[in-house]
């Protein structure tokens, strides 16, 4: 497969003439701008880019990106995206879904696009609620969430999108949140990954689940509650005064204090994006006792599904002539004689 031919564009080249319509203050506005700012930096070509979505607030995305796009049906965007990629592997595919669309009715389809490792960027907007259908609890809603469908409080244990992706065989796991200045860096890393790149984006639903992520996303004191991961760099947070270490007795992560910048003596781990076991532990870190792990948690490419399909087609057709008429004329065929007026 050829590398994407880079062209020069600006943010304006990726804006459509459609009125952007989300609730005032919705985190989707910030994500849209982050994507529109990132695409020119990637050298992306609108004529070679496809945004594909399912159903939900996040699924309005194809209307607002000046590229090709499909607004498909509930939960089935991964299946459509897989078909588009196989039909033309040269296309740059961005799949947009939400915690309800992607993890409820679409969980099966999302699992398969990840395990097959189809080369695309998958952005899952997680607001822990069904926004478009007026605030019911979603698969990611926390225990105790009160909503029209759980008026006393949800008793479901919430799904963890990043854990689901890792368990489904994803080779790239990233995390960010709507208004973070680091979100474009996560998007760039996902785009650079060859394969199914999964990005969980925490998104504030201003109407039905307002400020649910303020425990780590609120600007005040954020450095104490956010662990931004960078490959080859120590896992430090809280102004580099704290870090994440591996307790070798329990084989679990723990928070340690760092004195005078000596993170090595404190046992702080250096982030290795290819270490799947540590990625799993980072995803499962209980927030409160630990900071929220953000950035690129896991990145370990392997051959893609569409490359295997293309190679299989090439092998199957090698030495054969592509002649449909001759193919239809071979084997078991029928000859119909007479005219339309003849009795049957």
């Amino acid at each position: 497969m050829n590398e994407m031919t880079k062209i020069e564009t600006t943010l304006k080249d990726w804006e459509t003439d459609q009125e952007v319509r989300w609730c005032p203050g919705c985190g989707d506005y910030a994500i849209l701008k982050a994507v529109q700012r990132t695409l020119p930096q990637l050298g992306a070509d609108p004529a070679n880019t496809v945004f594909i979505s399912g159903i939900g607030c996040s699924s309005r995305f194809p209307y607002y990106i000046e590229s090709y796009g499909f607004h498909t049906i509930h939960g089935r965007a991964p299946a459509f995206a897989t078909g588009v990629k196989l039909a033309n592997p040269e296309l740059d595919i961005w799949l947009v879904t939400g915690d309800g669309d992607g993890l409820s009715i679409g969980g099966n389809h999302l699992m398969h696009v990840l395990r097959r490792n189809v080369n695309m960027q998958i952005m899952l907007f997680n607001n822990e609620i069904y926004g478009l259908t007026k605030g019911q609890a979603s698969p990611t809603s926390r225990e105790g969430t009160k909503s029209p469908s759980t008026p006393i409080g949800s008793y479901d244990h919430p799904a963890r999108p990043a854990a689901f992706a890792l368990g489904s065989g994803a080779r790239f796991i990233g995390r960010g949140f709507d208004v973070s200045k680091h979100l474009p860096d996560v998007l760039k890393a996902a785009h650079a990954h060859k394969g199914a790149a999964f990005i969980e984006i925490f998104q504030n639903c201003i109407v039905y689940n307002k400020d649910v992520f303020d425990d780590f996303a609120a600007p005040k004191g954020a450095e104490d509650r956010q662990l931004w991961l960078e490959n080859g760099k120590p896992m430090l947070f809280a102004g580099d005064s704290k870090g994440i270490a591996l307790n070798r007795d329990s084989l679990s992560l723990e928070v340690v204090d760092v004195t005078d910048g000596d993170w090595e003596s404190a046992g702080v781990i250096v982030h290795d994006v290819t270490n799947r076991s540590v990625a799993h532990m980072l995803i499962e870190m209980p927030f409160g006792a630990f900071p929220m792990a953000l950035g690129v948690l896991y990145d370990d490419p392997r051959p893609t599904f569409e490359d295997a399909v293309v190679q299989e087609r090439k092998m199957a057709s090698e030495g054969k002539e592509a002649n449909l008429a001759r193919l239809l004329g071979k084997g078991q065929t029928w000859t119909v004689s007479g005219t339309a007026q003849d009795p049957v």
Side-chain angles (χ1 to χ4, degrees), residues 49 127 149 267 275:
T49 303
N127 55 22
S149 60
N275 191 321

Side-chain angles (χ1 to χ4, degrees), residues 1-9 14 39-49 85 88-92 94 119 191:
M1 188 185 305
N2 296 326
E3 293 295 324
M4 183 183 72
T5 301
K6 296 184 178 182
I7 70 167
E8 187 173 334
T9 61
W14 295 94
L39 289 166
Q41 297 174 32
L42 298 174
D45 182 352
N48 200 50
T49 303
K85 191 66 178 179
N88 187 351
E90 303 302 322
L91 293 174
D92 188 15
W94 294 76
N119 190 17
H191 191 267

Side-chain angles (χ1 to χ4, degrees), residues 138-218:
S138 85
T140 59
S141 295
R142 303 177 194 188
E143 294 176 27
T145 298
K146 292 184 178 182
S147 75
S149 60
T150 55
I152 301 176
S154 173
Y155 48 80
D156 278 353
H157 183 68
R160 291 175 177 262
F164 171 87
L166 190 66
S168 297
R171 308 293 294 196
F172 180 101
I173 311 287
R175 266 188 185 156
F177 60 93
D178 45 18
V179 297
S180 171
K181 65 181 181 180
H182 300 295
L183 180 57
D185 294 329
V186 181
L187 297 175
K188 291 174 192 174
H191 191 267
H193 175 90
K194 188 175 182 181
F198 180 86
I199 314 109
E200 178 185 9
I201 304 176
F202 298 106
Q203 178 255 322
N204 187 28
C205 178
I206 196 75
V207 175
Y208 298 111
N209 215 13
K210 184 180 180 182
D211 300 333
V212 70
F213 301 117
D214 266 6
D215 48 5
F216 69 86

Side-chain angles (χ1 to χ4, degrees), residues 1-287:
M1 188 185 305
N2 296 326
E3 293 295 324
M4 183 183 72
T5 301
K6 296 184 178 182
I7 70 167
E8 187 173 334
T9 61
T10 67
L11 183 149
K12 291 292 183 183
D13 293 316
W14 295 94
E15 294 179 336
T16 70
D17 60 359
Q18 300 298 300
E19 179 187 0
V20 181
R21 297 184 65 181
W22 285 304
C23 299
C26 174
D28 287 353
Y29 286 100
I31 300 172
L32 175 63
K33 283 302 176 188
V35 172
Q36 289 173 327
R37 290 191 179 100
T38 301
L39 289 166
Q41 297 174 32
L42 298 174
D45 182 352
N48 200 50
T49 303
V50 187
F51 277 79
I52 300 174
S53 66
I55 296 296
C57 298
S58 63
S59 296
R60 294 178 181 269
F61 237 73
Y63 298 104
Y64 306 143
I65 299 284
E66 188 59 52
S67 69
Y68 290 102
F70 291 90
H71 187 182
T72 70
I73 52 181
H74 206 188
R76 276 69 175 186
F80 281 85
T82 299
V84 172
K85 191 66 178 179
L86 292 181
N88 187 351
E90 303 302 322
L91 293 174
D92 188 15
I93 309 292
W94 294 76
L95 193 154
V96 187
T97 186
D99 50 300
D101 179 64
L103 293 176
S104 185
I105 192 170
N108 176 50
H109 296 279
L110 184 58
M111 176 185 73
H112 292 306
V113 79
L114 292 170
R115 73 170 180 83
R116 285 173 172 151
N117 198 36
V118 186
N119 190 17
M120 64 180 72
Q121 296 73 241
I122 302 167
M123 299 187 295
L124 185 143
F125 299 5
N126 181 12
N127 55 22
E128 297 187 2
I129 209 77
Y130 277 104
L132 187 66
T133 49
K134 306 302 183 282
Q136 301 94 325
S138 85
T140 59
S141 295
R142 303 177 194 188
E143 294 176 27
T145 298
K146 292 184 178 182
S147 75
S149 60
T150 55
I152 301 176
S154 173
Y155 48 80
D156 278 353
H157 183 68
R160 291 175 177 262
F164 171 87
L166 190 66
S168 297
R171 308 293 294 196
F172 180 101
I173 311 287
R175 266 188 185 156
F177 60 93
D178 45 18
V179 297
S180 171
K181 65 181 181 180
H182 300 295
L183 180 57
D185 294 329
V186 181
L187 297 175
K188 291 174 192 174
H191 191 267
H193 175 90
K194 188 175 182 181
F198 180 86
I199 314 109
E200 178 185 9
I201 304 176
F202 298 106
Q203 178 255 322
N204 187 28
C205 178
I206 196 75
V207 175
Y208 298 111
N209 215 13
K210 184 180 180 182
D211 300 333
V212 70
F213 301 117
D214 266 6
D215 48 5
F216 69 86
K220 188 175 181 180
E223 65 176 14
D224 295 334
R225 304 186 302 270
Q226 298 174 11
L227 171 65
W228 282 98
L229 299 160
E230 188 174 349
N231 191 39
K233 298 294 181 66
M235 297 184 188
L236 297 169
F237 67 102
D240 295 347
S241 66
K242 294 181 181 295
I244 302 296
L246 177 64
N247 185 314
R248 300 188 183 279
D249 293 327
S250 62
L251 293 180
S252 61
L253 300 182
E254 62 182 4
V255 175
V256 295
D257 293 320
V258 177
T259 304
D260 298 328
D262 188 3
W263 57 267
E264 291 180 282
S265 296
V268 173
I269 300 173
V270 173
H271 186 40
D272 175 4
V273 292
T274 66
N275 191 321
R276 189 178 187 277
S277 297
V278 173
H280 182 259
M281 287 190 282
L282 289 167
I283 289 168
E284 295 288 349
M285 286 194 310
F287 184 76

